[in-house]
Every structure is written in structure tokens, then in C-alpha cells.
Amino acid sequence: MHAIDLHTHSAVSDGTETPTALVEQARAAGLEVIALTDHDTDRGIDEAREAAARAGLGLLPGMEVSAKHRGRSIHLLALGNTPAPGSNFALALEEVRDSREKRAQRIVERLSEDFPISWEAVLEIASGRGVSVASVGRPHIADALTRAGVVEDRSEAFQRMLAPHSPYYVPYRALDAVDAIAGIHDSGALAVGAHLMTGKRGKGLSSDACLELVESGLDGLEVFHREHGEAEREALLAIAREKDLIVTGGSDYHGSGKPNRLGENTTSEENLERLLESTSARL
């Protein structure tokens, strides 16, 4: 097994561990390289980089960018660099984070009519993990529902109250995929489609829809992810071979927030080298 995990999250977005703790856990798990890919923010990168240097772990800067394609919510991994402060892309991501937090407040308002949950309880959870959270979102609401005894865990909350079909659900702003890919490139990173064929976030994208993203400049595909079955992996690998794309794998680790385990899906050394050669990133 190659010990390269290019999809992880810290408590700066919706994980449960600080960037330092995440790095320490990755090293303990036998990983050699990880990418920190918090949602729409790079706020945890500096702390993670310092911890990685102490631990002897390679750290690739990145983020997971929220986007939409064909009216569906998708995620794009920006790997190898992060946007310059004050750049157009950085400002666009700030708007996305603001939209997510306002949406979270509206969801809590709706939930509070039926369940013992408050915005203050959600903020307490978000602020209690040793880092400054970039934006409060649905995972923090799920944790508040769990603490209140309404659900057993995050998974149940997302299946019931926080799913798109729920009466409590509120949409939020996400970037158009074409604009997101352009912004990722402008920041000096590569754009990799994250779990694009997942069956867990509504219907995953078709091969044709994935090819449209490739035509828009997508550099790679996250093939190896727990939400992809064998058929989805084969379909994505076929596209990657046809278009000579980088192929990645990652755990999508969120600490105790999800069952995903560090290193459960990984990236080959060959594909990591391709990524490094195409960016200014240094491990």
C-alpha cells in the first residue's frame, strides 16, 4: 500500500481534530504524505505544515472546493497550492463560507421548532475543538443533534434532518464548476474531481458529465474513495486513461465525525510525482 492520502479534513472545517492532531494521527497510521483539504479554506495549512515538519510527514497544501455542475453539488480538490490572500478566488471562497454559515443558522432555526437545539449549542461545538473554525456548517449541527440525543451520530443526522429531501434543508451558494476550476488554476494548484460518482450525495455524475468537467480543465480524478464502488472506479479510470489525467485516492478523513479511516484509500507515488511536477508544491 502506498502511504499517500490526498483527502483529509481538520476541525478548521468539519473534522474533529486540530491540524496538529491530524498530522500526528496520520504519522501514527503509517502515512508518509497527506494533503489537508478543508472545505473552501486553507486556514489550517500553516499549523499542519509546522506539525508535519516536526513529525517527518510530507504535507501537500490544498482544499476541497464546493461547486455545482448540471445543477448538482460537487466537490473539487485543489491540490498543490492555495489562493493568494485578497485574490478574486480567495474572495469568492469567502462568500461561499459566509453563505454556508448563514444557511446553517437558517437550518437551526427550522430544527429548533421541533428539536432541543439552538445556534448557541452549535457554536459551542464548533468553537470547542481548539481551532478557529472557518465557517459553521451542517456537520456541526449534526454534532449538536447528537449531543442533544436526537440522533445517534452524524450519519443519522445527515440521513434524516440534514438531507436535501428534509423539510429543514436550506441550500447555499456554491461556485460554478467552470469558475472553480479556473480559480484553482489561478492559485497555482491542480483541480481534481472529488468522489464525482458518489451515490451518497444525490445521484453521482455520469461519465459524460465528468468529461464535461475535463473539457473545462479538470486535471485529475479521485478514483479511490469509499463512496465509489467497483463500477464507478472502472468508469473513472477509463476516463483518466483516455484523457491522461492524474488519478488520486484519499480517505476523506474527518476524525470521529465519520467512519472513514486514514489511509483506507491512497494515491500512487507515480501520480503524486505528476502532481508535484505540475505545481510549485514541495513536500
Side-chain angles (χ1 to χ4, degrees):
M1 182 187 74
H2 297 286
I4 302 164
D5 187 339
L6 297 187
H7 191 165
T8 71
H9 296 275
S10 78
V12 170
S13 64
D14 58 345
T16 60
E17 309 298 332
T18 65
T20 296
L22 168 65
V23 166
E24 292 170 349
Q25 291 176 11
R27 200 71 183 107
L31 291 171
E32 298 170 5
V33 176
I34 65 167
L36 176 58
T37 53
D38 280 325
H39 290 282
D40 303 309
T41 183
D42 61 354
R43 190 178 294 176
I45 296 296
D46 287 344
E47 179 184 336
R49 185 177 282 119
E50 293 176 3
R54 293 192 299 270
L57 182 79
L59 189 285
L60 190 68
M63 67 173 65
E64 187 170 10
V65 178
S66 305
K68 287 188 176 180
H69 182 59
R70 291 192 176 190
R72 293 176 183 166
S73 175
I74 67 167
H75 292 160
L76 302 171
L77 297 176
L79 297 175
N81 212 335
T82 57
S87 65
N88 289 337
F89 189 43
L91 294 175
L93 291 172
E94 184 177 349
E95 291 180 4
V96 170
R97 295 193 301 270
D98 288 345
S99 174
R100 180 185 290 114
E101 185 147 334
K102 290 174 182 176
R103 171 244 209 152
Q105 287 181 276
R106 291 197 294 272
I107 291 174
V108 172
E109 288 173 3
R110 295 182 179 185
L111 285 167
S112 66
E113 296 179 4
D114 297 320
F115 303 104
I117 184 175
S118 66
W119 184 240
E120 289 72 24
V122 174
L123 290 178
E124 181 181 351
I125 286 175
S127 63
R129 291 181 171 143
V131 295
S132 174
V133 176
S135 64
V136 178
R138 285 188 301 163
H140 304 105
I141 299 172
D143 291 345
L145 288 167
T146 302
R147 179 179 289 182
V150 176
V151 295
E152 289 291 329
D153 52 28
R154 272 191 187 183
S155 296
E156 183 183 351
F158 271 89
Q159 290 166 5
R160 292 176 54 198
M161 297 84 167
L162 302 177
H165 58 74
S166 166
Y168 308 107
Y169 185 81
V170 176
Y172 77 104
R173 180 180 181 274
L175 301 177
D176 178 80
V178 174
D179 295 334
I181 291 170
I184 291 169
H185 288 162
D186 287 346
S187 70
L190 296 188
V192 174
H195 44 67
L196 291 179
M197 288 189 172
T198 176
K200 290 191 175 182
R201 294 178 176 84
K203 187 177 179 182
L205 295 187
S206 65
S207 291
D208 286 344
C210 290
L211 283 167
E212 289 173 357
L213 293 174
V214 175
E215 293 303 315
S216 298
L218 200 66
D219 303 292
L221 293 168
E222 183 184 49
V223 173
F224 303 104
H225 186 281
R226 67 159 44 210
E227 293 179 11
H228 286 156
E230 190 61 32
E232 290 76 22
R233 292 185 180 194
E234 287 301 321
L236 289 167
L237 283 172
I239 295 171
R241 286 192 292 265
E242 177 186 351
K243 300 298 184 179
D244 192 31
L245 303 178
I246 293 171
V247 171
T248 73
S251 63
D252 204 355
Y253 181 67
H254 284 71
S256 61
K258 287 186 177 181
N260 310 45
R261 300 273 61 88
L262 284 164
E264 68 177 37
N265 284 292
T266 54
T267 301
S268 71
E269 294 175 9
E270 174 186 358
N271 279 286
L272 176 62
E273 286 302 319
R274 286 187 63 185
L275 199 157
L276 293 173
E277 288 171 1
S278 301
T279 68
S280 60
R282 295 290 182 271
L283 298 178

